[in-house]
Amino acid sequence: MAKRPLHTDFACPDGKRFSRQGMPEGIYCPGKTILEIISIARRLRSADEKAPVILTRADDKIYRAVKKIFKKAIYNKTGGLITIPSLVPTAFSSSEKYICVITAGTTDISVAEEAAATAEALGVRVRRFYDVGVAGIHRIMERRTDIENAVCSVVCAGMEGALPSVVGGLARSPVIGVPTSVGYGANFGGVSALLTMLSSCAPNVCVVNIDDGFGAGIIASLISRK
Amino acid sequence: MAKRPLHTDFACPDGKRFSRQGMPEGIYCPGKTILEIISIARRLRSADEKAPVILTRADDKIYRAVKKIFKKAIYNKTGGLITIPSLVPTAFSSSEKYICVITAGTTDISVAEEAAATAEALGVRVRRFYDVGVAGIHRIMERRTDIENAVCSVVCAGMEGALPSVVGGLARSPVIGVPTSVGYGANFGGVSALLTMLSSCAPNVCVVNIDDGFGAGIIASLISRK
Amino acid sequence: MAKRPLHTDFACPDGKRFSRQGMPEGIYCPGKTILEIISIARRLRSADEKAPVILTRADDKIYRAVKKIFKKAIYNKTGGLITIPSLVPTAFSSSEKYICVITAGTTDISVAEEAAATAEALGVRVRRFYDVGVAGIHRIMERRTDIENAVCSVVCAGMEGALPSVVGGLARSPVIGVPTSVGYGANFGGVSALLTMLSSCAPNVCVVNIDDGFGAGIIASLISRK
Amino acid sequence: MAKRPLHTDFACPDGKRFSRQGMPEGIYCPGKTILEIISIARRLRSADEKAPVILTRADDKIYRAVKKIFKKAIYNKTGGLITIPSLVPTAFSSSEKYICVITAGTTDISVAEEAAATAEALGVRVRRFYDVGVAGIHRIMERRTDIENAVCSVVCAGMEGALPSVVGGLARSPVIGVPTSVGYGANFGGVSALLTMLSSCAPNVCVVNIDDGFGAGIIASLISRK
Amino acid sequence: MAKRPLHTDFACPDGKRFSRQGMPEGIYCPGKTILEIISIARRLRSADEKAPVILTRADDKIYRAVKKIFKKAIYNKTGGLITIPSLVPTAFSSSEKYICVITAGTTDISVAEEAAATAEALGVRVRRFYDVGVAGIHRIMERRTDIENAVCSVVCAGMEGALPSVVGGLARSPVIGVPTSVGYGANFGGVSALLTMLSSCAPNVCVVNIDDGFGAGIIASLISRK
Amino acid sequence: MAKRPLHTDFACPDGKRFSRQGMPEGIYCPGKTILEIISIARRLRSADEKAPVILTRADDKIYRAVKKIFKKAIYNKTGGLITIPSLVPTAFSSSEKYICVITAGTTDISVAEEAAATAEALGVRVRRFYDVGVAGIHRIMERRTDIENAVCSVVCAGMEGALPSVVGGLARSPVIGVPTSVGYGANFGGVSALLTMLSSCAPNVCVVNIDDGFGAGIIASLISRK
Amino acid sequence: MAKRPLHTDFACPDGKRFSRQGMPEGIYCPGKTILEIISIARRLRSADEKAPVILTRADDKIYRAVKKIFKKAIYNKTGGLITIPSLVPTAFSSSEKYICVITAGTTDISVAEEAAATAEALGVRVRRFYDVGVAGIHRIMERRTDIENAVCSVVCAGMEGALPSVVGGLARSPVIGVPTSVGYGANFGGVSALLTMLSSCAPNVCVVNIDDGFGAGIIASLISRK
Amino acid sequence: MAKRPLHTDFACPDGKRFSRQGMPEGIYCPGKTILEIISIARRLRSADEKAPVILTRADDKIYRAVKKIFKKAIYNKTGGLITIPSLVPTAFSSSEKYICVITAGTTDISVAEEAAATAEALGVRVRRFYDVGVAGIHRIMERRTDIENAVCSVVCAGMEGALPSVVGGLARSPVIGVPTSVGYGANFGGVSALLTMLSSCAPNVCVVNIDDGFGAGIIASLISRK
């Protein structure tokens, strides 16, 4: 029943979330018209000029429309994320602190970019290590020092989702596993990867929902700010 | 097939994990004999004197045996957790920083205490708010300021597992949801609570395995140290 | 096999259900041709002039066709519900009595409107509170008195489906949870929300099928009539 | 982890729920010691003398201990429910109004009695029709008039759980389906019956959790009071 | 991977199944080209002139192509079944014997017609009772005598799938439940109806796969021949 | 909640089922006291002297108690089935007609005997072929002629449940698959075998519930009587 | 989120896998652009001239583009597999050794061809036996000697997936079961066949993922080389 | 229904399986009496003196009884496996060839020993690497050369089951994943580990049933003989 029209005046966007909680309410684009998206973006911006506005699962068409109104909007095409930066510069990230965003395969990259772009929108420095899954274990081992020194790591993996456990065995910080819906057959749209990560033998692995790059980016940002 | 004898010489306890990763390898007691438990504890202690040794899912009998060997062992009976403190005092926790450990009901408390005692074993200050589930929403609202100021919150809930979402809407920091196997019928041993937390509308909620208080305590400790 | 032709003469619409049970048989539109829909509507109307005729999951095209035949037909576009009012005015709803129809997010609104429009078709007064989910708990708390005084509340929520439990902790009357298929990943098309509501710690919460706004509206109407 | 000791001082029983919501907080006995049960019962009673105190899933041993303290305690052995009546007589139930509590088989009766005794504790008149499942359809047809005139019906069924649909086709009021964990093989501990009731073709059927007689009794009471 | 080309010379149609087992191998049309379908039909016909050839899940386009080659082909459009009758008349069905094919709703009819047409292709007399689901129980009760005298009954039902249990409580012969993938939400594409039928409290109910009208028709034919 | 006391006066045994439907109501023993079992047996016997009384899932203790009252009671220890024969001799089974009861392994035999003894109680001749599973396919091939000539076959199999498909490819009559809860790991208590049988490529296979030997015996008896 | 653009420079193809492990990294085509596919193929070829390059789930369009660049590319249209042969001839397969690739039905053939073509690309001789499922058991029995002499057998089956167990009872070597997503209703996209094969009573049966012909071909090749 | 008595004369042990297929029929002990076990062992031995007799899931009591009859019986207590060696020496294993049996944790060892002892009973040399799970990845990396040179590897892992993928990325031969039922919460008795292994990104990983050490041992033996 998602195809029915939605009246924007029904929406109650939580414009004070950034000042109250240090993270903005994201605008999830699928199922919303461009008019609705822009209307909500405007209400969020006018409610708090210091808060970046983040649109998730956006596409080119949405970006072009948003760009007309918000000239400073930035588009991460791979991650499908549009950021309308805060009007007040965010400068809280120290120069040394960084998070790692890691993927097992190439098809996990769009989810990883959603996480990375979300963190960057919140002023967090991101290092990316992509396509370093466990079937060629040397690839992740080469990143060992980078992982050890990170404030936290976001690890996106589909299929069997084993990579977060390996990263969890290397890191000195929390590892956020993001199961992706990549794979076929008994992957069941990401459920296998999800169960793998939940059952991880590395105790510093926590998990977010399947394909939820946005949530992982938010949590990584909150950790890096502590 | 868990009832067959295990030879301790087969085990390879990871004695350098604390120095390498800042968290010790926990000894999961169920299915191990007291002799095996003590043997592994000794090997971990001798591998690194600075690392606290943590035994999970322990009972009175195990505690009495451990106490004979390790005089300083501490027992959190409700959480089933025995800590053999580091021989070198851990002093990294600043006096103001704290984490919240929260439960929805009274039956979630044993899991919560496992988390709390793990964090305390790693030098983290813990504030406990128990039996404050959503069916009487005023109870959690009274803790609003405490939650806002915490470094992170661990929220244990069974049945429908809705509490982490509410805490996630109040906190300025990550919320670690711990689904518990409390409830009956369509709770399915914690699966309902697990799915609830994974699908949380609050993006700062991440999740660990069902009843995994130990993992939540480890992650909370790592966050509070950043 | 739903795409094969259906012969309307096979159907046995239960035209006496309204007089027998106080609720009409609804016409579920998907999978039926417009001819079939109108034929069934006519048979229901002629079987009982006092019964309103309700068509669910309808669209604009169906509405235009129905409107030509039944001039008084009313269309709730958001809820996809067409009502052909009773030829005899229904006047049983007292002026003070009302039900609440509540949603967690904006995408739950189409299901909510199906429930609301069904109840209104049966002469029940409806108060709507939309987009008041638990991640911003203050929004539902502001509606506390309205909920306390309602005859019953219909609460539509997808994702983690926690809102009915919170409303159940505030209400003095039954709460009908309607899980919606909104969300992604481990939401599993509404199953997470469904399990959440079934496991609710508030004992006055009962549940209907995923996206079943029509059923919720019927039950709310029957309760408000008692 | 349910077997660890619980400290009653951790519990926050919601003593004002009856005055606030018209239903008491139930004390779920399994996993609690007799001392804890009596302590919570005392706190609930002293918080509100007008509220009946209800203990669910109780056994003979608990009853004997409770009876010593609360002389007026009543024990429904089949339903496992102990009621400590309000000190102020509840007299809100009119003499004609009643609810039906119905079972498909004999093994569903304990769940049904939990529902019936809960409703009776709240002053509701109950009519019982047991062992009237659909394999001998004449049995439920003989109760047709009784069902038509009820304020609502609670229908407990295991195995295939088909009875609520049949009752839903006869009633003029809401039907609360209670799936029971009775059956074997593909019943899956009540899941088959649960899914059956959720998918009911009768729109006036709503559902509570598997074996949740207490919840059904509460909802039936709230409906009968409207 | 079903969309790749299939070479008909790979197929080994079991042309002797009718003479060996009294039932023909059906040609399941989806995923086969018209050329392949006709080629297999020809091979089956030439292998045994006495065997009727049955094509399932066929559509108009397939029918027109088949009709050109096999002039006597009969098309049951609702059931999607094409029958190419035996060249030798089948006359084994006595005049009094019949089976019932019954549906709960109108959307179950296409599955029912697949069953009915299969049985008719094998010379069995069929009586149809459609749209007689349990929400209006009087409809099936009116067919009581017809059901009692049948050789067996095929009962097609989606949603909660309760009808076979009721028929099973009336019949003097086996009842073949056919769960259909009709319904939404917690019906899960027919699984709810399937579990309902498997858990039936009527011991004379057996079950075939979801939407498997062909199988039900075959079994009913074999029973009626005994 | 199955352990609570049951009052036999609540039970409505369907004493006329044998005369109405040609099969008796079975008494499912687990969860019933011996007093209750005997009370129900007496009521069934006195309701219809022509009906055999069948008790399922019985043990030695129940048998000794029943034998004292009903001298002619027969006990099939392996199948756990007690039969109290009709006082009027049943003589309807012709001398040539028989059913096959077949198992894949030795652990399926208790379920098979429940089916066989049920059929024998209703006057049907039974041929048994046990431990003839597909891993040694020659064993079932040796029984080919016996299967071809049977009125129907009951095939009990756990683990992967493949045997009914093979028998279905040999038989000229219906095959009733009975999945058994034998196996470990991914067998899931019989679910794998159940799904296997439902998905059988042999269209003459129908299925009953896991371990439901009684149901299979009833259906086989009804078929053999046609 | 698989539809977003992928940057090939993100990919880290494992060009040394063939020399290191004796099997090449396959290029899984779905979700990649033709440019990306060719870029990865080039990098793999230039990394190791001795390794064959294998592209899976390819179509005609991809083949035409690949053929332009790699003149020796071979296309198995049914299996959707493109092989770019090693520049150095692979000659390790002795003339007598062969594997069997077997299917239950015709619709399993595309998966079987993926397995067969993969093995052939690695220099393994393949014998194919297609459409020999258990419903006509004589078909597989005729291949008994061929199966007994094979180095291993790959058995592809959908629906109930029983064929690997039968082959496992005939073979003197490992049997690799490949469940296919062929079937409808309770097949659940291959899950039934998967569970069947995992629960096989023949201990020499191992299993790969649903529709994973490539994996089966790789394993069969590795076995045939030992 | 597994507790009912079994008559050994019902069993058809497949005494020629070793000569026909090169692997013996195993005797699965649970659910069988000691008398039955010895009777079957005797029949297998007398059917083929060259075949080793293997009893799985045995305990001390069974071993003592077997030892009295078969003086040469060997007991692997950890793996629960009793071997009665062939009367004719098996000498087919070359001195260099070996398989690896690997576990992730200590609790997986009993399953691993079942596999190892089975392979040894069939004359295969086994190298064991235990407790080398991915959370301390250095442990498995130290075994890299041993794995590369093995004929095949059996990898037993519970919890998230990630180890086979890592071994699959190192080996030059097939890897047989054995999911174990070790773990808690969302491990679901081994299902998570099973799904992980089925979805492995390393294409040389195949899978057997949960805890099926015997099957893995058989397959490894058959591979090492090729």
Side-chain angles (χ1 to χ4, degrees), chain E residues 38-108:
Chain E
I38 286 180
S39 156
I40 296 173
R42 274 188 165 132
R43 288 165 68 182
L44 286 174
R45 167 51 35 102
S46 65
D48 183 359
E49 293 203 337
K50 289 186 198 154
V53 177
I54 297 181
L55 298 85
T56 64
R57 312 277 162 115
D59 57 22
D60 292 12
K61 207 173 144 190
I62 294 172
Y63 174 58
R64 282 190 300 268
V66 168
K67 189 72 179 176
K68 277 186 202 154
I69 315 291
F70 300 97
K71 305 296 178 196
K72 301 204 165 169
I74 301 163
Y75 183 35
N76 181 317
K77 189 181 171 71
T78 306
L81 202 113
I82 299 171
T83 308
I84 308 171
S86 160
L87 294 187
V88 179
T90 56
F92 46 75
S93 169
S94 74
S95 58
E96 314 124 63
K97 269 192 180 179
Y98 65 90
I99 66 166
C100 293
V101 175
I102 301 170
T103 77
T106 54
T107 20
D108 306 314

Side-chain angles (χ1 to χ4, degrees), chain A residues 162-194:
Chain A
L163 190 57
S165 291
V166 174
V167 175
L170 302 175
R172 299 182 66 83
S173 56
V175 172
I176 303 165
V178 190
T180 68
S181 54
V182 169
Y184 57 103
N187 176 281
F188 301 122
V191 172
S192 293
L194 170 63

Side-chain angles (χ1 to χ4, degrees), chain C residues 93-165:
Chain C
S93 168
S94 76
S95 59
E96 313 125 63
K97 269 190 178 179
Y98 66 90
I99 66 166
C100 293
V101 175
I102 300 171
T103 77
T106 55
T107 19
D108 306 314
I109 291 174
S110 55
V111 176
E113 283 297 308
E114 186 180 276
T118 299
E120 288 170 341
L122 293 166
V124 175
R125 200 150 64 92
V126 176
R127 302 196 59 184
R128 288 157 167 91
F129 307 121
Y130 289 167
D131 197 19
V132 295
V134 299
I137 196 77
H138 55 281
R139 297 177 295 194
I140 190 69
M141 298 306 277
E142 291 164 5
R143 300 307 186 176
R144 185 164 196 156
T145 312
D146 300 308
I147 291 166
E148 279 179 357
N149 293 330
V151 169
C152 86
S153 294
V154 171
V155 186
C156 305
M159 302 186 76
E160 88 272 59
L163 190 57
S165 291

Side-chain angles (χ1 to χ4, degrees), chain A residues 20-90:
Chain A
R20 199 176 73 233
Q21 300 193 254
M23 60 185 184
E25 179 167 354
I27 305 173
Y28 181 76
C29 295
K32 296 198 178 71
T33 65
I34 288 183
L35 277 183
E36 288 171 343
I37 290 168
I38 287 180
S39 155
I40 297 174
R42 275 185 164 135
R43 287 164 70 183
L44 286 174
R45 170 47 40 99
S46 65
D48 181 359
E49 292 202 338
K50 291 187 197 154
V53 176
I54 297 180
L55 298 85
T56 65
R57 312 279 163 111
D59 58 21
D60 292 12
K61 204 173 147 192
I62 293 172
Y63 174 60
R64 284 191 299 269
V66 167
K67 189 72 178 177
K68 277 186 202 155
I69 315 289
F70 301 95
K71 304 297 177 195
K72 301 203 165 169
I74 300 163
Y75 181 36
N76 183 315
K77 190 181 167 72
T78 307
L81 201 114
I82 299 171
T83 309
I84 308 171
S86 160
L87 294 187
V88 180
T90 57

Side-chain angles (χ1 to χ4, degrees), chain B residues 56-58 75 77-81 106-111 113-114 128 130-132 135-139 181-188 211 213, chain D residues 1-8 10-14 17 20-21 25 28 30-32 40 56-57 114 188-189 191 194 209-215:
Chain B
T56 65
R57 311 278 162 113
Y75 182 35
K77 190 181 168 72
T78 306
L81 201 114
T106 55
T107 19
D108 306 314
I109 291 174
S110 55
V111 175
E113 281 298 307
E114 187 180 273
R128 289 158 168 89
Y130 288 166
D131 197 19
V132 295
I137 196 75
H138 56 282
R139 297 177 294 191
S181 56
V182 169
Y184 57 102
N187 177 278
F188 300 122
D211 288 339
Chain D
M1 296 185 64
K3 281 155 205 156
R4 309 260 167 77
L6 291 175
H7 309 291
T8 31
F10 280 151
C12 301
D14 189 359
R17 189 175 291 176
R20 200 177 70 233
Q21 301 193 255
E25 179 167 354
Y28 181 74
K32 297 199 177 69
I40 296 174
T56 64
R57 311 280 161 114
E114 186 180 276
F188 301 122
V191 172
L194 170 62
N209 204 350
I210 297 167
D211 288 339
D212 187 11
F214 177 66

Side-chain angles (χ1 to χ4, degrees), chain B residues 207-226:
Chain B
V207 187
V208 296
N209 203 350
I210 296 167
D211 288 339
D212 187 9
F214 177 67
I218 289 288
I219 295 169
S221 304
L222 293 175
I223 292 175
S224 77
R225 216 176 295 167
K226 288 297 136 188

Side-chain angles (χ1 to χ4, degrees), chain G residues 92-94 96-100 118-120 122-126 150-153 173-174 176 216-226, chain H residues 151 172-174 222-223 226:
Chain G
F92 46 76
S93 169
S94 76
E96 314 123 64
K97 270 191 179 178
Y98 65 90
I99 66 166
C100 292
T118 297
E120 288 170 341
L122 293 165
V124 175
R125 200 150 64 91
V126 175
V151 170
C152 86
S153 293
S173 57
I176 303 165
I218 289 288
I219 295 169
S221 304
L222 293 174
I223 292 175
S224 78
R225 218 176 293 167
K226 290 296 137 191
Chain H
V151 170
R172 298 182 67 82
S173 55
L222 293 175
I223 291 174
K226 289 296 136 190

Side-chain angles (χ1 to χ4, degrees), chain B residues 27-175:
Chain B
I27 305 172
Y28 181 75
C29 295
K32 297 198 178 71
T33 66
I34 286 182
L35 276 184
E36 289 171 342
I37 289 167
I38 286 178
S39 156
I40 297 174
R42 273 186 165 135
R43 288 165 68 184
L44 285 174
R45 168 49 39 98
S46 66
D48 184 357
E49 292 202 337
K50 288 186 199 154
V53 177
I54 297 181
L55 297 84
T56 65
R57 311 278 162 113
D59 57 22
D60 292 12
K61 205 172 146 191
I62 293 172
Y63 174 60
R64 283 190 301 268
V66 168
K67 188 74 178 175
K68 278 187 201 151
I69 315 289
F70 301 96
K71 304 297 177 196
K72 300 203 164 169
I74 301 163
Y75 182 35
N76 181 316
K77 190 181 168 72
T78 306
L81 201 114
I82 299 171
T83 309
I84 309 172
S86 160
L87 294 187
V88 179
T90 56
F92 46 76
S93 168
S94 76
S95 58
E96 314 124 62
K97 270 191 177 178
Y98 65 89
I99 66 165
C100 292
V101 176
I102 302 170
T103 76
T106 55
T107 19
D108 306 314
I109 291 174
S110 55
V111 175
E113 281 298 307
E114 187 180 273
T118 297
E120 287 170 343
L122 292 165
V124 175
R125 199 149 66 89
V126 176
R127 303 196 58 186
R128 289 158 168 89
F129 307 121
Y130 288 166
D131 197 19
V132 295
V134 298
I137 196 75
H138 56 282
R139 297 177 294 191
I140 190 67
M141 298 306 277
E142 290 164 7
R143 300 306 187 176
R144 185 163 196 158
T145 313
D146 301 306
I147 290 166
E148 280 180 356
N149 293 330
V151 169
C152 87
S153 294
V154 171
V155 186
C156 305
M159 302 185 76
E160 88 271 59
L163 191 57
S165 290
V166 174
V167 176
L170 301 175
R172 300 182 65 83
S173 56
V175 171

